[in-house]
Amino acid sequence: MSKAIIGKYVNLDTFVHKLYPRLKFMANILFIILFFIADHFVTLSILIAIIAIMYVIATKSFLSLLKKLKTPLYIALFILIVNMLTIKGAQQDLNIPYVPIAGESNVDSYVFHRGQTIINDIYWAPFGETKTFQLTKFTIIRTVSIFFRIYGVILTTTILTISTKPVFLTKAINDILYPLKLIKFPTEIITMIISIALRFIPTLLDEATRIMKAQASRGIDFKHGKLKDKTKAFVVLIVPLFVASFSKANDLADAMTARGYEPYAKRSVYRELSISWRDILVTFVILGCVAMVIVCQIQSISLPNWWVQSFQRV
């Protein structure tokens, strides 16, 4: 099958492809919100598992699911270094009881959650515990948390774009923004801008790959060399890419003008979308995910101890 790229539609006959476009768009936004609301790794893992299953169904490729780990992994490694420089662990020689995060000057050392104290233990401090470069429990928790959230957002967005035709995605966005017409908001223009932006993502990626191959054949090395050489190689890539982008934008504007496109003209609809049993089933799954996150967020509701121990908002 074709490579799953954000913004590129893949023409397959799957369960996800047949879902209602508006439902997929709203589910995309909702799951992104849930990823950043969830406070426990168990909750976050369940959401990721559901999205991963939908991704495999939509792409018919498990290998592509693993390849999507690359980008969030690089970001997580960078965040790990930043966290090791900024997060200070608990001092082991303090002979005082642990106190809540609001009452301690070392705010990264302790946190209370549902009656339990989570201590920011130091796992590795090459320059001593009093220094700032430390590998602590909170460092790992925060890094893994960001990794899961970014990975979930990438999967969710990719599912939306590879399983929804641009014309249906445009209609879904326009229908969702329809109430804004009451205040004379140009929803059709905004929808067209979003649709064109999504359409150009895979085109520009292909153009960047073509330019890199052309420059590599002329002796430009993008992978090796000093930082100065890599910077020059990046300039050699980015300048032609900008030129190609503006050229494609002008060609698109001329094509739309030649076909009589009028931004403020009244629109008509000839594609009728209907709700099926698949949409009802997915709606119940989405509502179940929302209910699970809400229940986990309510402090007065008891959760299993192993669930509480997976608290990651430290």
Side-chain angles (χ1 to χ4, degrees), residues 87-89 120-123 134-141:
I87 298 177
K88 188 176 181 181
N120 187 19
D121 297 320
I122 300 175
Y123 295 144
Q134 301 173 343
L135 180 63
T136 67
K137 178 186 288 188
F138 286 9
T139 298
I140 297 175
I141 290 177

Side-chain angles (χ1 to χ4, degrees), residues 34-95:
L34 294 180
F35 284 139
F36 286 92
I37 290 179
D39 278 346
H40 301 85
F41 275 123
V42 176
T43 310
L44 199 56
S45 298
I46 294 175
L47 296 176
I48 293 290
I50 294 174
I51 291 299
I53 293 172
M54 298 300 290
Y55 181 88
V56 173
I57 294 175
T59 60
K60 296 183 178 180
S61 172
F62 183 77
L63 182 60
S64 176
L65 179 69
L66 299 179
K67 289 182 178 179
K68 290 295 180 184
L69 290 167
K70 186 176 180 180
T71 300
L73 182 60
Y74 287 151
I75 298 175
L77 291 176
F78 173 76
I79 293 176
L80 176 63
I81 297 175
V82 174
N83 286 337
M84 291 178 68
L85 292 170
T86 57
I87 298 177
K88 188 176 181 181
Q91 298 294 329
Q92 302 299 323
D93 57 352
L94 292 179
N95 295 319

